[in-house]
Amino acid sequence: MTSLSRKNQLLSKKIDVVIDFCGEYFYNDCMNLPSFTLQNQAYDQILDKILRNEYKPGQKISQKSVENDLKLGRTPVREALLRLRRDNLVYTLPQSGTFVTKVDLDAAVNARFIRENLERKVVIEAAEMKGNFLLSQAHDAIELQEKYAARGEYNLFFDADEEFHKSFYLATNHAQVWDWLQTINIQLNRFRWLRLTLSELPWAYLIEQHRDILNAVEAHDAKAADEAVAKHLHLMLDEEKEVIRTFRDYFDNIPEDDSPILS
């Protein structure tokens, strides 16, 4: 066997190893292209249904019903449910079935604390930047919020709200922090979705607070930006008792004396 043949054979073996290692990701992840496996797709869709209360806290869900809802097969749904169980979003009782966990108020408390303290630092950093050209996304998000609020499309309003806050993390090169927060914020976001269903939320006031934050950042007024974010993130405390009173059966770890828990 020539030296060239041996090299070609070794190269072929290396390629086989890469293919075996990467499996179904080979043509996607290994070639720097987007890849969404069926398991990840199932996980994301179930998580979205839990966050948006399509699968309600305490609701029993069968693997078969989820398969039908998602139009996905047994294996990806089963693996996704196992992953959600590890994330404490579903639990299984022997002889009874699988249930969506209730909203954990203790976890929501800690998430709100982390979110507020991180975001205040982020907007201060954004306000101290020389250029604000990356904040066009924040302006776009406010315009979308105005449109969705006028139409009563509060699911889309929530998405635009997230985009508004995310824009400051992107502008300050903290995209990874934002992604990390999403895992921490799951129980808090479940609370926020329940809050969205209340018909008397001050939608215009929420948008006004967003404008205050953005205006302070663009004016490079770090102190005003910090105060505006703190005020905005405390707003949910005003609706806390009403949310818990309306959806009491959806929560775990409610204080016996009904004292404020998100403060």
Side-chain angles (χ1 to χ4, degrees):
M1 182 180 295
T2 66
S3 175
L4 180 60
S5 296
R6 283 195 296 272
K7 287 181 178 178
N8 286 339
Q9 193 174 58
L10 287 172
L11 178 60
S12 177
K13 287 182 178 179
K14 288 179 180 180
I15 291 174
D16 288 341
V17 169
V18 171
I19 293 174
D20 288 341
F21 177 76
C22 295
E24 65 184 296
Y25 298 95
F26 179 73
Y27 288 107
N28 294 316
D29 287 351
C30 292
M31 301 301 289
N32 296 318
L33 295 175
S35 171
F36 299 97
T37 66
L38 289 177
Q39 179 183 330
N40 287 340
Q41 181 182 338
Y43 177 88
D44 290 341
Q45 290 186 24
I46 299 169
L47 175 60
D48 190 64
K49 287 180 178 294
I50 292 174
L51 285 176
R52 297 176 186 245
N53 299 299
E54 292 179 41
Y55 292 160
K56 300 185 184 303
Q59 177 182 339
K60 182 177 180 179
I61 55 172
S62 70
Q63 181 174 315
K64 187 65 178 176
S65 67
V66 174
E67 292 170 17
N68 292 335
D69 287 345
L70 305 186
K71 303 297 189 293
L72 291 174
R74 177 181 179 183
T75 299
V77 170
R78 182 186 68 241
E79 294 301 316
L81 288 173
L82 287 173
R83 184 175 164 191
L84 287 160
R85 188 166 66 184
R86 290 194 296 270
D87 292 342
N88 295 318
L89 290 169
V90 301
Y91 64 96
T92 301
L93 293 177
Q95 311 302 320
S96 295
T98 299
F99 299 82
V100 178
T101 61
K102 294 186 177 183
V103 179
D104 186 339
L105 281 178
D106 283 345
V109 167
N110 290 318
R112 198 202 67 80
F113 176 83
I114 293 170
R115 171 76 179 268
E116 179 183 345
N117 283 277
L118 280 175
E119 196 149 318
R120 290 175 69 175
K121 292 181 182 297
V122 166
V123 296
I124 289 172
E125 187 174 332
E128 292 173 345
M129 291 172 58
K130 291 183 178 180
N132 297 121
F133 60 94
L134 291 175
L135 291 176
S136 60
Q137 181 178 333
H139 284 283
D140 292 342
I142 289 176
E143 289 182 9
L144 287 173
Q145 285 181 316
E146 290 176 328
K147 180 174 71 174
Y148 296 144
R151 295 177 179 176
E153 296 175 325
Y154 300 130
N155 285 359
L156 294 175
F157 184 98
F158 182 93
D159 293 336
D161 181 280
E162 288 289 274
E163 286 302 310
F164 173 81
H165 290 277
K166 181 180 178 180
S167 67
F168 296 100
Y169 291 81
L170 297 180
T172 54
N173 198 31
H174 292 312
Q176 190 173 3
V177 175
W178 174 264
D179 291 340
W180 173 74
L181 273 176
Q182 301 319 296
T183 64
I184 302 297
N185 279 345
I186 288 177
Q187 297 299 330
L188 179 60
N189 283 341
R190 294 180 74 188
F191 176 93
R192 291 172 64 206
W193 271 105
L194 286 172
R195 177 172 166 251
L196 276 179
T197 64
L198 297 179
S199 60
E200 296 182 358
L201 272 182
W203 305 106
Y205 186 50
L206 287 169
I207 295 171
E208 179 185 338
Q209 287 191 332
H210 282 171
R211 288 195 184 281
D212 289 343
I213 295 168
L214 184 55
N215 289 340
V217 169
E218 292 187 322
H220 303 290
D221 189 337
K223 183 175 184 294
D226 178 35
E227 291 173 351
V229 166
K231 181 179 179 181
H232 177 64
L233 293 179
H234 271 79
L235 182 61
M236 70 179 65
L237 302 180
D238 296 335
E239 293 95 28
E240 173 197 333
K241 286 188 176 181
E242 180 64 17
V243 173
I244 294 175
R245 186 189 65 79
T246 305
F247 303 105
R248 193 173 188 88
D249 291 341
Y250 287 178
F251 290 97
D252 274 334
N253 301 317
I254 300 175
E256 292 184 3
D257 59 357
D258 286 333
S259 58
I261 188 168
L262 291 179
S263 56

